[in-house]
Amino acid sequence: MAPLRKYPLGIQSFDHIRTDGYVYIDKTALVYEIATSGKYYFLSRPRRFGKSLLVSTLEAFFKGKKELFEGLALEEKEKEWKDYPVLKLSLNVAYYNSVSVLTNVLDDALNSWCKQYEVKVTGELPSIRLKNLIIALHAKTGRKVVMLVDEYDKPLLQTLDDSDLQDQFRSELKAFYGILKPLDEHVQFGFFTGVTKFSKVSVFSDLNNLTDISMDKRYVEICGITEAEIHDNLDYEVERMAIETGLGKDECYEKLKEHYDGYHFEANTVGIYNPYSLLNALSSKTFKDFWFETGTPSHLIEQLKQTNYPLENLGHEELTANVLGNIDTIDQNPIPMLYQSGYLTVKGYDKEFELYQLGFPNLEVERGFTKFLIPYYTSLKSNQGQYFVAQFVKEIRSGKVENFMRRLEALFASGDYQVMGDAELYFQNVVWIVFKMIGFYTEVERHTTDGRMDLFIKTHDFIYILEFKLDKSADEALQQIEDKQYAKAFEYDSRRIYKIGVNFSTKTKRIDEWKIDS
């Protein structure tokens, strides 16, 4: 039996991974192409997607560390292996609650670079010191400078709810990054990564020759892992996981795909697995929501609520590339932020109208995101949601129809929850969340048209047909089930059928009546 290899969980250093024997999926052919075919690049990817490792790989290449690339694709491509002065900056090192914090981070980086390369520069502003440093390094080494910036947008993301402070950060970063353009003769290469792309008074507006490769088909595989790469590099690990979990090898592959694949950064491109989740699953040999557990999108949920967003639209949004590419209208439309943060991904493309179709990438994200919505839209606390859903599912599976209806009724009856916004939308959103969660454990179909909403739940022993009405009556809901002959499709089915009529009052914001016909 071959020994299991080490997984680079939380390790973002290319040097560390290569010298200490960690698993590495070879991305160096794409690294070489970027490093030698252009000058300034920007790449947006969700958190935990390998951006920092990519920056570290570029750093190793430009520092001429040939030994780290032994056996990799880039080794055969590069012939000169020059050692350039590299300035690598990560803004993922602080909590940015004031301009002084950002200034201190930039000053620390500048001081470190000056010490590393044994040069002294003057200037009160970080941008001026950076300019003088780049010029000095070029003069000292005879080689142009490489600038690598990881998580450029961290200060901006942490101030989404403070526009004044965010504007100050924009101004500071714009001056700092913008100094590169007038120094073009001294700069060999520049690369910036982040989760999002801010375009309003852009921090890159002075660096307008920046090439955005975030949705470039040529580079969709540069971060993350493809299914082919799993088969080529991790097949043995998948086989061991299949044995541990009692699955067949093919079945294990399918389950990994269902949970962690599905990211598309351009239409009609190969699916990308979340590397953090995939490697955690192979390491622990369990199927958990690893990526979602590392961060909470609370600001995104607040934006969904404040914009009165109908949650049922999450599975079939359509946006143009321009709207999808920036988040400056988050106060009116939170969807671009959901896409760039990795909660939604490209599912298709309408070529005629140039519209990208969005949806959840995989089960991990869909389930984790839906679960996270519960305390924001219902009276349940965050630690109560899973218990509530578990009890609901158990009651549905065992045919305790009155129990689960009383549970649903109680969800709206709590006096502690202050309903925000339109009552009808509130009702629809809560029902969507509850039955979306139930759908992860049983078969659920939901249909909505003007004036009605019907829902089908199917278990091993039961079929539930629910009709929801607003400001009418449970009898009218049951009558519609009969008039539309919803049960006819199941007339030869051996399972017991329950027909349930439900009425929601927009005045009291509660379910005020429900009736069951079996």
Side-chain angles (χ1 to χ4, degrees):
M1 181 183 295
L4 293 180
R5 293 173 294 168
K6 296 189 293 184
Y7 301 95
L9 299 172
I11 300 175
Q12 302 169 344
S13 166
F14 180 71
D15 192 322
H16 189 181
I17 289 173
R18 294 293 291 162
T19 57
D20 290 352
Y22 287 91
V23 172
Y24 177 70
I25 307 298
D26 189 358
K27 303 288 184 178
T28 62
L30 290 174
V31 168
Y32 182 80
E33 184 175 337
I34 286 178
T36 58
S37 62
K39 188 157 186 174
Y40 297 107
Y41 289 97
F42 170 73
L43 175 69
S44 168
R45 285 293 183 269
R47 59 185 172 81
R48 300 280 188 169
F49 233 88
K51 300 187 299 295
S52 298
L53 176 57
L54 173 60
V55 169
S56 180
T57 309
L58 284 164
E59 179 187 26
F61 170 69
F62 279 109
K63 283 189 173 182
K65 294 186 177 182
K66 181 179 179 180
E67 70 281 1
L68 297 180
F69 294 88
E70 184 178 350
L72 301 180
L74 191 147
E75 181 187 29
E76 297 299 320
K77 294 177 178 292
E78 178 61 25
K79 305 302 180 184
E80 297 182 346
W81 295 101
K82 294 179 181 179
D83 182 5
Y84 292 91
V86 177
L87 306 181
K88 187 177 76 167
L89 170 67
S90 173
L91 292 186
N92 193 25
V93 294
Y95 178 72
Y96 298 91
N97 56 5
S98 69
V99 175
S100 63
V101 174
L102 176 58
T103 302
N104 287 338
V105 168
L106 297 180
D107 282 339
D108 283 347
L110 286 161
N111 291 335
S112 176
W113 294 330
C114 286
K115 183 178 180 180
Q116 176 185 353
Y117 290 103
E118 299 179 337
V119 296
K120 292 183 179 181
V121 296
T122 59
E124 292 185 8
L125 298 176
S127 56
I128 300 302
R129 290 179 65 198
L130 177 63
K131 179 193 76 170
N132 293 336
L133 176 61
I134 290 174
I135 294 172
L137 286 176
H138 190 191
K140 180 177 181 177
T141 65
R143 288 186 177 153
K144 297 180 181 181
V145 174
V146 172
M147 185 79 186
L148 305 175
V149 181
D150 193 21
E151 305 287 2
Y152 91 96
D153 55 350
K154 198 69 172 183
L156 305 177
L157 289 173
Q158 291 181 349
T159 51
L160 287 172
D161 57 352
D162 189 340
S163 58
D164 290 338
L165 183 55
Q166 188 180 87
D167 285 343
Q168 295 178 59
F169 285 153
R170 286 179 192 264
S171 179
E172 187 80 15
L173 292 173
K174 180 182 177 183
F176 191 77
Y177 300 143
I179 205 68
L180 294 177
K181 187 175 182 182
L183 297 176
D184 195 55
E185 63 184 294
H186 303 286
V187 177
Q188 175 70 23
F189 182 80
F191 193 82
F192 299 80
T193 79
V195 170
T196 59
K197 184 180 179 183
F198 289 84
S199 62
K200 179 183 175 185
V201 193
S202 174
V203 295
F204 297 131
S205 60
D206 291 336
L207 192 61
N208 54 13
N209 53 344
L210 196 68
T211 301
D212 184 357
I213 59 171
S214 303
M215 298 182 73
D216 191 319
K217 287 188 176 183
R218 295 172 297 174
Y219 304 115
V220 293
E221 300 178 31
I222 199 164
C223 289
I225 301 174
T226 67
E227 187 163 359
E229 288 171 333
I230 300 175
H231 282 275
D232 291 342
N233 297 272
L234 298 164
D235 186 69
Y236 177 74
E237 283 75 8
V238 174
E239 182 178 353
R240 299 306 304 169
M241 183 175 182
I243 294 172
E244 185 76 18
T245 55
L247 300 172
K249 186 176 177 181
D250 290 343
E251 188 180 3
C252 189
Y253 265 110
E254 282 302 311
K255 197 163 184 178
L256 287 169
K257 184 179 183 67
E258 178 188 26
H259 278 73
Y260 310 121
D261 189 16
Y263 285 93
H264 296 269
F265 301 106
E266 178 54 283
N268 303 316
T269 56
V270 64
I272 304 294
Y273 284 71
N274 182 312
Y276 180 80
S277 295
L278 175 66
L279 294 178
N280 266 287
L282 292 175
S283 177
S284 65
K285 299 179 180 59
T286 57
F287 296 93
K288 293 182 179 179
D289 299 340
F290 298 102
W291 179 78
F292 206 92
E293 291 173 355
T294 64
T296 54
S298 54
H299 60 285
L300 293 176
I301 308 303
E302 290 296 344
Q303 289 300 323
L304 288 172
K305 289 180 64 179
Q306 290 177 21
T307 56
N308 290 316
Y309 183 82
L311 296 177
E312 65 178 352
N313 289 354
L314 285 173
H316 47 268
E317 277 284 357
E318 292 187 323
L319 296 176
T320 64
N322 287 338
V323 175
L324 199 59
N326 75 81
I327 65 166
D328 296 304
T329 58
I330 187 173
D331 53 339
Q332 290 93 37
N333 184 3
I335 299 306
M337 183 67 166
L338 284 171
Y339 164 74
Q340 293 186 37
S341 299
Y343 299 102
L344 297 177
T345 195
V346 173
K347 290 293 188 179
Y349 182 67
D350 186 328
K351 189 174 182 180
E352 180 180 6
F353 297 103
E354 299 181 336
L355 292 171
Y356 284 92
Q357 297 148 354
L358 306 179
F360 291 109
N362 51 48
L363 181 59
E364 175 189 31
V365 176
E366 186 173 16
R367 183 171 57 195
F369 191 81
T370 306
K371 188 190 302 182
F372 194 75
L373 290 169
I374 293 176
Y376 288 86
Y377 283 86
T378 75
S379 59
L380 298 173
K381 302 292 190 295
S382 58
N383 61 345
Q384 296 175 314
Q386 190 68 12
Y387 172 81
F388 174 87
V389 170
Q391 299 309 308
F392 214 146
V393 170
K394 290 176 183 178
E395 289 161 355
I396 289 172
R397 286 174 176 170
S398 60
K400 296 179 180 178
V401 60
E402 292 192 1
N403 287 18
F404 83 70
M405 281 308 304
R406 281 193 290 269
R407 191 175 298 278
L408 181 63
E409 183 181 30
L411 192 63
F412 292 94
S414 172
D416 296 332
Y417 184 66
Q418 301 298 314
V419 177
M420 299 291 290
D422 179 76
E424 181 177 349
L425 181 62
Y426 157 66
F427 169 71
Q428 291 175 346
N429 281 343
V430 173
V431 169
W432 183 89
I433 293 169
V434 171
F435 288 98
K436 187 75 171 175
M437 284 299 301
I438 292 170
F440 295 126
Y441 304 94
T442 185
E443 185 180 354
V444 174
E445 297 176 22
R446 182 173 178 269
H447 309 280
T448 306
T449 58
D450 292 340
R452 69 179 181 88
M453 177 167 60
D454 53 77
L455 190 142
F456 301 84
I457 306 174
K458 303 170 189 177
T459 71
H460 183 269
D461 299 307
F462 306 98
I463 295 173
Y464 302 89
I465 304 173
L466 294 89
E467 178 67 31
F468 295 92
K469 291 292 184 183
L470 295 172
D471 298 324
K472 292 186 178 180
S473 69
D475 285 328
E476 287 180 87
L478 284 173
Q479 188 59 51
Q480 180 155 319
I481 293 175
E482 295 302 319
D483 293 344
K484 297 292 183 179
Q485 296 185 320
Y486 292 155
K488 187 173 179 60
F490 310 106
E491 61 182 340
Y492 297 113
D493 199 298
S494 61
R495 289 173 287 187
R496 183 171 184 176
I497 298 174
Y498 286 106
K499 306 169 191 175
I500 307 170
V502 184
N503 185 65
F504 178 81
S505 168
T506 56
K507 182 178 181 180
T508 64
K509 300 181 179 64
R510 297 184 179 186
I511 291 177
D512 66 355
E513 186 183 24
W514 51 269
K515 291 184 178 181
I516 301 169
D517 179 5
S518 61

